[in-house]
Amino acid sequence: MGDVVKPERSLVEEIRAASRSMARDWGFMGGRFAGADLSPSAVHALIEIDAGEVSARDLGVRLRLEKSSVSRMLRKLVDSGDVCEAPCSHDSRIKLLSLTPVGRRRVAAIHAHARGQVADALGRLTRGQHHTVLDGLRLYSEALAGVQETRPDPSTVEVMPGYQPGLIARITQMHALHCAREPGFGQRFESVVAAGLADFCDRLGKPRNAIWTAHQAGDIVGSVAIDGDEPGAGVAHLRWFIVDDGTRGSGVGRKLLASALDFADGQGFAETRLWAINGSSAGRHLCESHGFVCEEERPATQWGKGILEQRFARRRP
């Protein structure tokens, strides 16, 4: 990390003024925040609950709210029919929160409103300024939160196409370690990932199949693939999209996803699909920022526990 330089007073005041202006434009000062008749904290709570596997205590930590404030807010959301509570399967003392059908519709409307706001604002900028906005907001947010850990610089990560030695073992390992924290995702899950990936690598000679890996300091830290053989003509399947835990949030996932989607568009696929397990808020937001929309949800038990699978789809621009 570079030396910390004390900012000029004028810069501090300009940033404060810009922050106040953004708060007003977003509706924090009153009115319908995010297009909903809810407080900003309630809107953020619904979005966190939508990500799955969250308790009242989790909400307090994520939203930086006191226990009493979270309790009052949740009681209103339960009474309004947006949220329901159920005992955790491994600890009945913990109540997990989930959205009701009414709550899911409300969150869908919130996301639609927010995406419209962002898209409208970005439409007033040049394409080259879009990532400047993202990088600046992310950097400033982390600084306000006091984040100290050093994340990998995405400029030092090289995204390489095609098969690389050790690819199958390393991608399987990243998936296995990431899912091992969830009950039921054990040996069978790891075996299925390895077998499917090995089969796909045997099909890399076909022009509509491709894989990319992100490399840093000689190690594979991320991957993504486009499978053009499934599920049908004109549809690409985005698979094995994962970033090592130590690299998450650095922009590497965005670089991988951009490479895959550029390839899919260049091959003329009308649609790209992605199956995911509900619960990864960051991954979902990244995909949605690239045009993916959740079109189907269904329960699945193939890994020994009940999970919710989601199918995302993106149409070629």
mmCIF file of all heavy atoms in Angstrom, residues 123-153:
data_model
loop_
_atom_site.group_PDB
_atom_site.id
_atom_site.type_symbol
_atom_site.label_atom_id
_atom_site.label_comp_id
_atom_site.label_asym_id
_atom_site.label_seq_id
_atom_site.Cartn_x
_atom_site.Cartn_y
_atom_site.Cartn_z
ATOM 1 N N GLY A 123 -25.985 6.622 -18.448
ATOM 2 C CA GLY A 123 -26.283 7.037 -19.812
ATOM 3 C C GLY A 123 -25.852 8.458 -20.113
ATOM 4 O O GLY A 123 -25.744 8.847 -21.281
ATOM 5 N N ARG A 124 -25.612 9.239 -19.062
ATOM 6 C CA ARG A 124 -25.149 10.620 -19.240
ATOM 7 C C ARG A 124 -23.619 10.719 -19.257
ATOM 8 O O ARG A 124 -23.068 11.805 -19.370
ATOM 9 C CB ARG A 124 -25.702 11.495 -18.123
ATOM 10 C CG ARG A 124 -27.227 11.581 -18.109
ATOM 11 C CD ARG A 124 -27.707 12.576 -17.043
ATOM 12 N NE ARG A 124 -29.149 12.727 -17.078
ATOM 13 C CZ ARG A 124 -29.994 12.018 -16.349
ATOM 14 N NH1 ARG A 124 -29.521 11.101 -15.526
ATOM 15 N NH2 ARG A 124 -31.287 12.215 -16.442
ATOM 16 N N LEU A 125 -22.957 9.568 -19.102
ATOM 17 C CA LEU A 125 -21.500 9.535 -19.089
ATOM 18 C C LEU A 125 -20.989 8.791 -20.309
ATOM 19 O O LEU A 125 -21.728 8.066 -20.969
ATOM 20 C CB LEU A 125 -21.005 8.829 -17.818
ATOM 21 C CG LEU A 125 -21.470 9.398 -16.471
ATOM 22 C CD1 LEU A 125 -20.994 8.498 -15.345
ATOM 23 C CD2 LEU A 125 -20.964 10.814 -16.279
ATOM 24 N N THR A 126 -19.717 8.956 -20.585
ATOM 25 C CA THR A 126 -19.102 8.186 -21.658
ATOM 26 C C THR A 126 -18.801 6.786 -21.136
ATOM 27 O O THR A 126 -18.680 6.566 -19.932
ATOM 28 C CB THR A 126 -17.793 8.838 -22.130
ATOM 29 O OG1 THR A 126 -16.838 8.818 -21.051
ATOM 30 C CG2 THR A 126 -18.028 10.286 -22.552
ATOM 31 N N ARG A 127 -18.680 5.817 -22.060
ATOM 32 C CA ARG A 127 -18.430 4.442 -21.648
ATOM 33 C C ARG A 127 -17.146 4.340 -20.827
ATOM 34 O O ARG A 127 -17.059 3.543 -19.890
ATOM 35 C CB ARG A 127 -18.349 3.542 -22.886
ATOM 36 C CG ARG A 127 -18.177 2.063 -22.555
ATOM 37 C CD ARG A 127 -18.275 1.214 -23.809
ATOM 38 N NE ARG A 127 -19.589 1.300 -24.404
ATOM 39 C CZ ARG A 127 -20.615 0.546 -24.033
ATOM 40 N NH1 ARG A 127 -20.460 -0.346 -23.067
ATOM 41 N NH2 ARG A 127 -21.789 0.661 -24.619
ATOM 42 N N GLY A 128 -16.142 5.128 -21.162
ATOM 43 C CA GLY A 128 -14.880 5.062 -20.437
ATOM 44 C C GLY A 128 -14.983 5.543 -19.002
ATOM 45 O O GLY A 128 -14.120 5.238 -18.170
ATOM 46 N N GLN A 129 -16.063 6.300 -18.683
ATOM 47 C CA GLN A 129 -16.230 6.809 -17.319
ATOM 48 C C GLN A 129 -16.973 5.837 -16.414
ATOM 49 O O GLN A 129 -16.986 6.009 -15.195
ATOM 50 C CB GLN A 129 -16.997 8.140 -17.368
ATOM 51 C CG GLN A 129 -16.221 9.270 -18.034
ATOM 52 C CD GLN A 129 -17.077 10.508 -18.200
ATOM 53 O OE1 GLN A 129 -18.247 10.436 -18.567
ATOM 54 N NE2 GLN A 129 -16.498 11.671 -17.918
ATOM 55 N N HIS A 130 -17.603 4.799 -16.998
ATOM 56 C CA HIS A 130 -18.432 3.894 -16.198
ATOM 57 C C HIS A 130 -17.621 3.189 -15.112
ATOM 58 O O HIS A 130 -18.023 3.150 -13.944
ATOM 59 C CB HIS A 130 -19.103 2.860 -17.105
ATOM 60 C CG HIS A 130 -20.126 3.464 -18.022
ATOM 61 N ND1 HIS A 130 -20.812 2.726 -18.959
ATOM 62 C CD2 HIS A 130 -20.579 4.749 -18.142
ATOM 63 C CE1 HIS A 130 -21.647 3.530 -19.609
ATOM 64 N NE2 HIS A 130 -21.518 4.748 -19.136
ATOM 65 N N HIS A 131 -16.491 2.602 -15.475
ATOM 66 C CA HIS A 131 -15.688 1.882 -14.491
ATOM 67 C C HIS A 131 -14.970 2.843 -13.548
ATOM 68 O O HIS A 131 -14.627 2.466 -12.425
ATOM 69 C CB HIS A 131 -14.688 0.960 -15.191
ATOM 70 C CG HIS A 131 -15.315 -0.285 -15.739
ATOM 71 N ND1 HIS A 131 -15.782 -1.304 -14.928
ATOM 72 C CD2 HIS A 131 -15.590 -0.670 -17.005
ATOM 73 C CE1 HIS A 131 -16.302 -2.257 -15.668
ATOM 74 N NE2 HIS A 131 -16.204 -1.901 -16.937
ATOM 75 N N THR A 132 -14.755 4.080 -13.999
ATOM 76 C CA THR A 132 -14.190 5.086 -13.100
ATOM 77 C C THR A 132 -15.146 5.332 -11.939
ATOM 78 O O THR A 132 -14.730 5.437 -10.772
ATOM 79 C CB THR A 132 -13.943 6.404 -13.859
ATOM 80 O OG1 THR A 132 -13.019 6.176 -14.926
ATOM 81 C CG2 THR A 132 -13.376 7.471 -12.925
ATOM 82 N N VAL A 133 -16.443 5.395 -12.241
ATOM 83 C CA VAL A 133 -17.458 5.569 -11.196
ATOM 84 C C VAL A 133 -17.449 4.376 -10.247
ATOM 85 O O VAL A 133 -17.428 4.530 -9.019
ATOM 86 C CB VAL A 133 -18.859 5.728 -11.828
ATOM 87 C CG1 VAL A 133 -19.939 5.699 -10.740
ATOM 88 C CG2 VAL A 133 -18.933 7.026 -12.616
ATOM 89 N N LEU A 134 -17.451 3.170 -10.810
ATOM 90 C CA LEU A 134 -17.470 1.965 -9.975
ATOM 91 C C LEU A 134 -16.240 1.884 -9.083
ATOM 92 O O LEU A 134 -16.349 1.658 -7.869
ATOM 93 C CB LEU A 134 -17.544 0.724 -10.864
ATOM 94 C CG LEU A 134 -17.416 -0.626 -10.138
ATOM 95 C CD1 LEU A 134 -18.553 -0.814 -9.161
ATOM 96 C CD2 LEU A 134 -17.367 -1.762 -11.148
ATOM 97 N N ASP A 135 -15.066 2.064 -9.663
ATOM 98 C CA ASP A 135 -13.836 1.954 -8.880
ATOM 99 C C ASP A 135 -13.776 3.014 -7.788
ATOM 100 O O ASP A 135 -13.348 2.745 -6.661
ATOM 101 C CB ASP A 135 -12.614 2.080 -9.798
ATOM 102 C CG ASP A 135 -12.482 0.897 -10.754
ATOM 103 O OD1 ASP A 135 -13.075 -0.161 -10.456
ATOM 104 O OD2 ASP A 135 -11.800 1.040 -11.782
ATOM 105 N N GLY A 136 -14.225 4.244 -8.124
ATOM 106 C CA GLY A 136 -14.201 5.320 -7.135
ATOM 107 C C GLY A 136 -15.151 5.064 -5.979
ATOM 108 O O GLY A 136 -14.788 5.249 -4.809
ATOM 109 N N LEU A 137 -16.371 4.636 -6.287
ATOM 110 C CA LEU A 137 -17.340 4.345 -5.227
ATOM 111 C C LEU A 137 -16.868 3.217 -4.330
ATOM 112 O O LEU A 137 -16.982 3.282 -3.104
ATOM 113 C CB LEU A 137 -18.695 3.986 -5.845
ATOM 114 C CG LEU A 137 -19.517 5.140 -6.413
ATOM 115 C CD1 LEU A 137 -20.730 4.606 -7.162
ATOM 116 C CD2 LEU A 137 -19.961 6.082 -5.301
ATOM 117 N N ARG A 138 -16.338 2.157 -4.951
ATOM 118 C CA ARG A 138 -15.874 1.004 -4.169
ATOM 119 C C ARG A 138 -14.701 1.406 -3.269
ATOM 120 O O ARG A 138 -14.657 1.050 -2.081
ATOM 121 C CB ARG A 138 -15.465 -0.121 -5.115
ATOM 122 C CG ARG A 138 -14.976 -1.374 -4.402
ATOM 123 C CD ARG A 138 -14.570 -2.427 -5.407
ATOM 124 N NE ARG A 138 -15.723 -2.983 -6.100
ATOM 125 C CZ ARG A 138 -15.707 -3.412 -7.349
ATOM 126 N NH1 ARG A 138 -14.605 -3.318 -8.064
ATOM 127 N NH2 ARG A 138 -16.784 -3.942 -7.889
ATOM 128 N N LEU A 139 -13.757 2.156 -3.806
ATOM 129 C CA LEU A 139 -12.588 2.571 -3.039
ATOM 130 C C LEU A 139 -12.986 3.475 -1.872
ATOM 131 O O LEU A 139 -12.526 3.306 -0.733
ATOM 132 C CB LEU A 139 -11.603 3.285 -3.964
ATOM 133 C CG LEU A 139 -10.253 3.681 -3.370
ATOM 134 C CD1 LEU A 139 -9.463 2.443 -2.989
ATOM 135 C CD2 LEU A 139 -9.452 4.503 -4.382
ATOM 136 N N TYR A 140 -13.882 4.425 -2.149
ATOM 137 C CA TYR A 140 -14.306 5.364 -1.112
ATOM 138 C C TYR A 140 -15.111 4.656 -0.036
ATOM 139 O O TYR A 140 -14.951 4.913 1.167
ATOM 140 C CB TYR A 140 -15.129 6.484 -1.758
ATOM 141 C CG TYR A 140 -15.516 7.601 -0.814
ATOM 142 C CD1 TYR A 140 -14.578 8.175 0.045
ATOM 143 C CD2 TYR A 140 -16.810 8.102 -0.798
ATOM 144 C CE1 TYR A 140 -14.923 9.213 0.903
ATOM 145 C CE2 TYR A 140 -17.170 9.134 0.049
ATOM 146 C CZ TYR A 140 -16.225 9.683 0.899
ATOM 147 O OH TYR A 140 -16.586 10.711 1.748
ATOM 148 N N SER A 141 -15.988 3.716 -0.438
ATOM 149 C CA SER A 141 -16.788 2.971 0.523
ATOM 150 C C SER A 141 -15.903 2.167 1.466
ATOM 151 O O SER A 141 -16.125 2.132 2.683
ATOM 152 C CB SER A 141 -17.762 2.044 -0.223
ATOM 153 O OG SER A 141 -18.483 1.240 0.677
ATOM 154 N N GLU A 142 -14.889 1.511 0.908
ATOM 155 C CA GLU A 142 -13.990 0.711 1.735
ATOM 156 C C GLU A 142 -13.179 1.597 2.675
ATOM 157 O O GLU A 142 -12.911 1.225 3.820
ATOM 158 C CB GLU A 142 -13.068 -0.118 0.847
ATOM 159 C CG GLU A 142 -13.801 -1.235 0.097
ATOM 160 C CD GLU A 142 -12.878 -2.031 -0.810
ATOM 161 O OE1 GLU A 142 -11.703 -1.625 -0.943
ATOM 162 O OE2 GLU A 142 -13.324 -3.041 -1.373
ATOM 163 N N ALA A 143 -12.810 2.780 2.204
ATOM 164 C CA ALA A 143 -12.058 3.698 3.055
ATOM 165 C C ALA A 143 -12.923 4.176 4.222
ATOM 166 O O ALA A 143 -12.470 4.263 5.366
ATOM 167 C CB ALA A 143 -11.566 4.888 2.234
ATOM 168 N N LEU A 144 -14.197 4.486 3.946
ATOM 169 C CA LEU A 144 -15.102 4.908 5.016
ATOM 170 C C LEU A 144 -15.298 3.798 6.041
ATOM 171 O O LEU A 144 -15.412 4.054 7.240
ATOM 172 C CB LEU A 144 -16.464 5.288 4.422
ATOM 173 C CG LEU A 144 -16.556 6.624 3.691
ATOM 174 C CD1 LEU A 144 -17.930 6.762 3.034
ATOM 175 C CD2 LEU A 144 -16.296 7.790 4.625
ATOM 176 N N ALA A 145 -15.354 2.560 5.551
ATOM 177 C CA ALA A 145 -15.566 1.419 6.448
ATOM 178 C C ALA A 145 -14.306 1.035 7.204
ATOM 179 O O ALA A 145 -14.358 0.175 8.089
ATOM 180 C CB ALA A 145 -16.076 0.216 5.650
ATOM 181 N N GLY A 146 -13.178 1.624 6.841
ATOM 182 C CA GLY A 146 -11.933 1.311 7.531
ATOM 183 C C GLY A 146 -11.328 0.005 7.106
ATOM 184 O O GLY A 146 -10.618 -0.636 7.894
ATOM 185 N N VAL A 147 -11.613 -0.444 5.881
ATOM 186 C CA VAL A 147 -11.055 -1.699 5.399
ATOM 187 C C VAL A 147 -9.548 -1.549 5.239
ATOM 188 O O VAL A 147 -9.070 -0.650 4.562
ATOM 189 C CB VAL A 147 -11.694 -2.096 4.043
ATOM 190 C CG1 VAL A 147 -11.038 -3.343 3.495
ATOM 191 C CG2 VAL A 147 -13.188 -2.319 4.239
ATOM 192 N N GLN A 148 -8.809 -2.454 5.847
ATOM 193 C CA GLN A 148 -7.355 -2.350 5.850
ATOM 194 C C GLN A 148 -6.675 -3.429 5.028
ATOM 195 O O GLN A 148 -5.530 -3.269 4.625
ATOM 196 C CB GLN A 148 -6.830 -2.431 7.291
ATOM 197 C CG GLN A 148 -7.303 -1.292 8.176
ATOM 198 C CD GLN A 148 -6.781 0.051 7.709
ATOM 199 O OE1 GLN A 148 -5.655 0.152 7.252
ATOM 200 N NE2 GLN A 148 -7.606 1.082 7.838
ATOM 201 N N GLU A 149 -7.391 -4.555 4.786
ATOM 202 C CA GLU A 149 -6.691 -5.654 4.119
ATOM 203 C C GLU A 149 -6.299 -5.259 2.700
ATOM 204 O O GLU A 149 -6.992 -4.499 2.031
ATOM 205 C CB GLU A 149 -7.561 -6.913 4.091
ATOM 206 C CG GLU A 149 -8.809 -6.806 3.259
ATOM 207 C CD GLU A 149 -9.999 -6.385 4.093
ATOM 208 O OE1 GLU A 149 -9.791 -5.801 5.163
ATOM 209 O OE2 GLU A 149 -11.137 -6.631 3.635
ATOM 210 N N THR A 150 -5.195 -5.790 2.249
ATOM 211 C CA THR A 150 -4.712 -5.508 0.908
ATOM 212 C C THR A 150 -5.265 -6.536 -0.055
ATOM 213 O O THR A 150 -5.019 -7.734 0.095
ATOM 214 C CB THR A 150 -3.169 -5.556 0.861
ATOM 215 O OG1 THR A 150 -2.662 -4.613 1.800
ATOM 216 C CG2 THR A 150 -2.663 -5.234 -0.533
ATOM 217 N N ARG A 151 -6.042 -6.103 -1.025
ATOM 218 C CA ARG A 151 -6.593 -6.998 -2.017
ATOM 219 C C ARG A 151 -5.707 -7.010 -3.241
ATOM 220 O O ARG A 151 -5.014 -6.034 -3.524
ATOM 221 C CB ARG A 151 -8.005 -6.546 -2.410
ATOM 222 C CG ARG A 151 -9.029 -6.795 -1.305
ATOM 223 C CD ARG A 151 -10.381 -6.306 -1.725
ATOM 224 N NE ARG A 151 -11.400 -6.682 -0.761
ATOM 225 C CZ ARG A 151 -12.625 -6.192 -0.748
ATOM 226 N NH1 ARG A 151 -12.975 -5.310 -1.647
ATOM 227 N NH2 ARG A 151 -13.490 -6.593 0.142
ATOM 228 N N PRO A 152 -5.720 -8.100 -3.984
ATOM 229 C CA PRO A 152 -4.893 -8.170 -5.180
ATOM 230 C C PRO A 152 -5.253 -7.064 -6.159
ATOM 231 O O PRO A 152 -6.420 -6.743 -6.354
ATOM 232 C CB PRO A 152 -5.240 -9.552 -5.759
ATOM 233 C CG PRO A 152 -5.758 -10.332 -4.600
ATOM 234 C CD PRO A 152 -6.449 -9.346 -3.734
ATOM 235 N N ASP A 153 -4.246 -6.493 -6.762
ATOM 236 C CA ASP A 153 -4.459 -5.484 -7.792
ATOM 237 C C ASP A 153 -4.845 -6.213 -9.073
ATOM 238 O O ASP A 153 -4.080 -7.032 -9.578
ATOM 239 C CB ASP A 153 -3.162 -4.693 -7.994
ATOM 240 C CG ASP A 153 -3.315 -3.590 -9.038
ATOM 241 O OD1 ASP A 153 -4.372 -3.549 -9.712
ATOM 242 O OD2 ASP A 153 -2.376 -2.804 -9.197
#
